Amino acid sequence: GDSVTQMEGPVTLSEEAFLTINCTYTATGYPSLFWYVQYPGEGLQLLLKATKADDKGSNKGFEATYRKETTSFHLEKGSVQVSDSAVYFCALNRDDKIIFGKGTRLHILP
Amino acid sequence: GAGVSQSPSNKVTEKGKDVELRCDPISGHTALYWYRQSLGQGLEFLIYFQGNSAPDKSGLPSDRFSAERTGGSVSTLTIQRTQQEDSAVYLCASSLGGGRETQYFGPGTRLLVL
């Protein structure tokens, strides 16, 4: 069945460091891909999405590109801030339901 | 406008009791989803309502779980004879039209079964 695999955390970085969180997926067809973020004490929020191959989603300085050839959707940010500390979930949407990865907890140190 | 709301925000119950969790979707959203977030299983799909179609119940873990959506708006997730393994955060989401439309999540109900 469809699945999403993302790097396990926690990931700890210093402020202004470069961030990559790897995500790969297994799916038949062409799902939409998402990154959701869950800040401490808050609900899930959509961070960015891409609906077809080679699309790049971006928001708040984060980017991810839908790579069909490598079935990947890695999340990147050039310079992280303390306020980016959260749990990040990679996900795909196929047949109306979202399938999530297990989440990666990110800690940014000042 | 208002987002997805859920109530209660926290619920503590005793093993064997029934609980009801409520979700108010974003106005005008025809699709409504329930998910469960637990330590051991991550985020799991439970059930999906779209308009007047029969719901997709494929994610419900047992027949103790049921959900209904009245009038195409508010939804209630019911767990009968709760077990300790039901302890989790139950998330509701809604979207404009199902399919690949973006799903917007509520803050969740944290359920603790003692």
Side-chain angles (χ1 to χ4, degrees):
Chain A
D2 296 352
S3 66
V4 176
T5 302
Q6 62 183 104
M7 61 189 292
E8 295 193 15
V11 173
T12 302
L13 296 172
S14 297
E15 203 166 23
E16 299 183 2
F18 183 87
L19 168 71
T20 300
I21 301 178
N22 289 337
C23 171
T24 56
Y25 67 91
T26 301
T28 54
Y30 303 97
S32 294
L33 302 176
F34 305 84
W35 279 98
Y36 280 86
V37 59
Q38 190 170 34
Y39 297 103
E42 298 185 17
L44 270 176
Q45 301 175 25
L46 177 67
L47 180 60
L48 53 84
K49 69 175 184 180
T51 59
K52 60 183 188 297
D54 299 326
D55 265 4
K56 177 186 285 188
S58 61
N59 186 26
K60 300 182 180 181
F62 290 89
E63 292 183 340
T65 301
Y66 191 143
R67 301 287 188 200
K68 181 171 172 291
E69 63 276 12
T70 54
T71 61
S72 65
F73 193 56
H74 304 322
L75 183 68
E76 297 182 336
K77 186 173 185 181
S79 176
V80 292
Q81 306 300 313
V82 172
S83 57
D84 294 327
S85 298
V87 181
Y88 292 81
F89 294 90
C90 185
L92 65 83
N93 182 340
R94 188 171 178 278
D95 296 333
D96 300 317
K97 60 180 75 76
I98 295 182
I99 296 171
F100 290 91
K102 292 195 178 297
T104 302
R105 185 174 297 277
L106 175 66
H107 293 290
I108 306 300
L109 304 175
Chain B
V4 178
S5 59
Q6 293 186 244
S7 60
S9 53
N10 290 281
K11 176 73 177 177
V12 180
T13 191
E14 294 178 350
K15 178 181 171 182
K17 301 277 190 182
D18 297 352
V19 295
E20 286 189 352
L21 312 179
R22 177 186 167 106
C23 171
D24 281 273
I26 293 171
S27 177
H29 281 194
T30 62
L32 186 147
Y33 310 78
W34 284 98
Y35 294 85
R36 177 169 71 172
Q37 185 175 21
S38 56
L39 277 176
Q41 301 297 323
L43 273 156
E44 308 168 273
F45 165 80
L46 297 177
I47 188 169
Y48 160 52
F49 297 88
Q50 169 57 6
N52 296 320
S53 303
D56 176 352
K57 305 178 182 180
S58 60
L60 294 178
S62 78
D63 58 9
R64 296 187 295 105
F65 288 72
S66 63
E68 62 178 23
R69 188 177 185 194
T70 52
S73 181
V74 171
S75 176
T76 302
L77 177 69
T78 300
I79 309 174
Q80 295 178 310
R81 305 180 302 281
T82 52
Q83 303 294 312
Q84 288 182 333
E85 61 262 27
D86 299 335
S87 297
V89 177
Y90 289 82
L91 295 170
C92 177
S94 70
S95 70
L96 200 52
R100 295 185 176 204
E101 293 282 349
T102 299
Q103 296 182 21
Y104 296 89
F105 284 78
T109 293
R110 186 176 298 275
L111 174 67
L112 178 61
V113 181
L114 300 176

